[in-house]
Amino acid sequence: MSADSYDVVVLGGGSGGLAAAFRAAGHGARVAMLEPAPLGGTCVNVGCVPKKAMWLAADLAERIHLARELGFDVPDEPNLDWSRLIARRQRYIANIHTSYQKRLDETGVARISRRGRLHDAQTVECEDGTLLRARHIVIATGAHPLKPEFPGAELGGVSDDFFALKERPERVALIGGGYIAVELAGVLRALGSKVALLVRGQRLLPQFDAELSDHLAENLRLQGVELHFGCEVQALQRQHGRIHATLRNGPEHALFDTVLFATGRAPNTKGLGLEKAGVKLDDKGAIVVDDFQNTAVDGVYAVGDVTGHVTLTPVAIAAARRLMDRLLGGQPEARLDYDNVPSVVFAHPPLGTVGLSEQEARERFDRVTTYHSRFRPMLQALGDGQVRTVFKMVCAGEDEQVVGIHLLGESADEILQGFAVAVKAGVTRRQMEDTVAIHPTSAEEVVLMK
């Protein structure tokens, strides 16, 4: 059977796949991208974009409460038209879809709305039997949410199902203690749901700095989220139109309208013909790649969540762009540096982090010093709010190089970006102290930590 020829074939039209396709086309390559689902993958459709829209609505709800305390004439319980919010959110996402398709058309990338699998190291077979040959094949198929296996688990949803809700649920159980569970708990509580967070472990966000994770848990409690640590869900069952959870070390009255699992994600590697082609997978099913995104097969590469390595949208985009620069742009050493990647958990307030936690720093360096700032932001103080901000800086060595910055508080998501640049550049504590603070702001506390 004859095959269509391209320079690059990309499997997946999410953030990483689109970035690879656009950058390759920019280098003059002939590119085909396979994606049967809406463009943008998890991030645009059931991830960071709709999540941020819901977070913004939740943030407004909290500010309306503070506004009343400051003297504005607003009702005690403002009514939210959930369907209108969702319509606005989906309109925003539809505009992104349109923008992506327009750019594909302008750059000449051939979008093929079918699934594909590796036929061999230089050939992709579409589900209709069409063969595509290419010098370079990029796998960017992303990941999907997982459900645990126990009786009645089918009664619970995952994060994708949260975005399909047609109305606000009255009482919700969120199972998990990672960033997805934390984010959904904060959004739902701020928008009026009663929320129980059922965490199998002993703290939230185990991969983040423990001190700030503990403060985040306290903030959630102040906002009315029920936190149950060491809690294991053993079964779910229907009971009088609701969902009853059988728990070990959980609340006695475990009846919920909605149960959502936030218990991890797995790479989308099944059905791609990877093993047959010689592409190696790790024990979690993720594609094994080296520092340059190479798989075990020459000419086959992988980027983004399908590799299980720093599963963040900007990481997938950056890795894909550098890969194409290396393969097609005359930059043989181009690769993504995975050290000091900033990230934010959109809790209420958000938690931002870059670099090492205190524990990680102490495991790596002989001398570690930490600095803190704890305060109540001005709006919280004016409105008698109880949520507090905690900033932390981790320094190492005699010159006190800043190896970690961790911010929990209002605007942490916006503040962190500039300081992430500083950490990446090797800033020291002395240089931070020598920087004049902008007053009055929360950001000034980063350079004033003691």
Side-chain angles (χ1 to χ4, degrees):
M1 181 182 295
S2 63
D4 296 331
S5 294
Y6 294 90
D7 298 306
V8 179
V9 170
V10 181
L11 275 67
S15 299
L18 285 163
F22 291 143
R23 185 57 66 96
H27 287 308
R30 187 165 185 253
V31 184
M33 187 187 74
L34 281 72
E35 178 55 78
L39 293 172
T42 294
C43 177
V44 170
N45 298 291
V46 286
C48 38
V49 172
K51 178 270 302 288
K52 186 65 180 290
M54 302 303 286
W55 184 88
L56 288 168
D59 186 56
L60 281 175
E62 294 174 333
R63 289 176 181 272
I64 289 170
H65 173 77
L66 291 171
R68 187 178 69 252
E69 297 299 318
L70 264 65
F72 287 89
D73 184 14
V74 295
D76 290 346
E77 297 294 335
N79 181 55
L80 170 65
D81 185 336
W82 186 277
S83 61
R84 185 175 180 183
L85 169 62
I86 301 308
R88 291 273 178 163
R89 185 191 77 194
Q90 295 309 116
R91 185 178 71 178
Y92 183 85
I93 291 172
N95 288 338
I96 296 176
H97 292 157
T98 300
S99 175
Y100 279 148
Q101 186 59 59
K102 180 181 179 182
R103 191 172 174 193
L104 289 171
D105 295 340
E106 291 174 346
T107 55
V109 174
R111 180 192 176 185
I112 300 172
S113 298
R114 292 188 289 274
R115 299 186 186 280
R117 62 191 302 277
L118 291 188
H119 182 75
D120 57 44
Q122 290 188 314
T123 310
V124 171
E125 181 181 0
C126 301
E127 57 188 347
D128 65 352
T130 302
L131 298 180
L132 309 175
R133 290 188 62 80
R135 289 187 296 141
H136 307 295
I137 297 173
V138 181
I139 303 169
T141 48
H144 62 275
L146 293 172
K147 274 189 182 182
E149 295 184 2
F150 56 71
E154 69 277 2
L155 298 177
V158 293
S159 55
D160 292 8
D161 299 300
F162 165 76
F163 297 111
L165 290 174
K166 302 300 184 184
E167 58 184 10
R168 175 182 62 81
E170 183 64 27
R171 180 162 171 77
V172 182
L174 282 157
I175 301 171
Y179 75 95
I180 294 175
V182 166
E183 290 178 340
L184 296 187
V187 165
L188 284 163
R189 181 68 196 102
L191 295 180
S193 296
K194 297 177 182 177
V195 179
L197 202 50
L198 310 179
V199 186
R200 188 172 186 174
Q202 295 302 317
R203 71 179 181 92
L204 301 174
L205 305 176
Q207 296 180 337
F208 284 67
D209 189 273
E211 187 175 359
L212 268 73
S213 293
D214 290 343
H215 281 285
L216 172 63
E218 183 58 30
N219 278 345
L220 287 170
R221 287 193 180 98
L222 288 172
Q223 292 162 7
V225 175
E226 299 175 27
L227 288 176
H228 302 278
F229 293 105
C231 176
E232 183 177 352
V233 182
Q234 298 175 320
L236 300 177
Q237 63 186 60
R238 287 286 180 192
Q239 190 175 105
H240 307 300
R242 305 180 81 187
I243 302 173
H244 177 264
T246 302
L247 306 173
R248 185 160 63 100
N249 298 327
E252 182 178 350
H253 302 290
L255 272 177
F256 305 98
D257 299 299
T258 300
V259 174
L260 296 172
F261 295 105
T263 49
R265 296 176 64 83
N268 294 325
T269 51
K270 291 184 179 180
L272 297 180
L274 301 177
E275 296 92 337
K276 182 179 178 181
V279 175
K280 292 183 179 179
L281 307 179
D282 67 15
D283 57 358
K284 295 182 179 179
I287 297 176
V288 177
V289 294
D290 63 13
D291 290 344
F292 291 86
Q293 311 302 143
N294 297 311
T295 71
V297 178
D298 289 342
V300 179
Y301 318 90
V303 297
D305 291 5
V306 75
T307 69
H309 193 188
V310 190
T311 54
L312 297 169
T313 292
V315 168
I317 293 170
R321 288 173 176 169
R322 285 161 177 76
L323 173 62
M324 293 299 102
D325 289 344
R326 177 170 69 86
L327 299 177
L328 304 167
Q331 302 177 40
E333 298 304 315
R335 68 179 182 89
L336 178 61
D337 179 2
Y338 284 89
D339 287 337
N340 294 321
V341 172
S343 65
V344 169
V345 177
F346 283 94
H348 291 272
L351 189 161
T353 181
V354 62
L356 304 177
S357 68
E358 180 179 350
Q359 180 180 349
E360 290 170 333
R362 293 193 184 282
E363 291 171 354
R364 187 175 303 186
F365 299 102
D366 292 332
R367 177 174 175 176
V368 172
T369 50
T370 61
Y371 298 89
H372 297 79
S373 181
R374 300 178 177 88
F375 60 98
R376 192 163 51 151
M378 183 180 291
L379 182 58
Q380 287 285 326
L382 290 170
D384 290 332
Q386 297 303 309
V387 175
R388 302 188 70 83
T389 288
V390 179
F391 289 173
K392 181 175 183 178
M393 183 186 299
V394 181
C395 303
E398 293 292 331
D399 62 349
E400 290 196 303
Q401 180 179 343
V402 180
V403 296
I405 292 179
H406 311 280
L407 312 177
L408 172 63
E410 181 179 302
S411 300
D413 51 325
E414 299 292 349
I415 295 170
L416 183 65
Q417 187 71 74
F419 287 106
V421 174
V423 171
K424 192 77 172 176
V427 70
T428 65
R429 167 66 180 160
R430 177 62 183 271
Q431 290 171 321
M432 297 286 271
E433 286 182 317
D434 285 345
T435 303
V436 175
I438 302 170
H439 181 76
T441 66
S442 291
E444 68 180 308
E445 296 296 330
V446 180
V447 298
L448 298 177
M449 289 192 217
K450 301 296 183 183

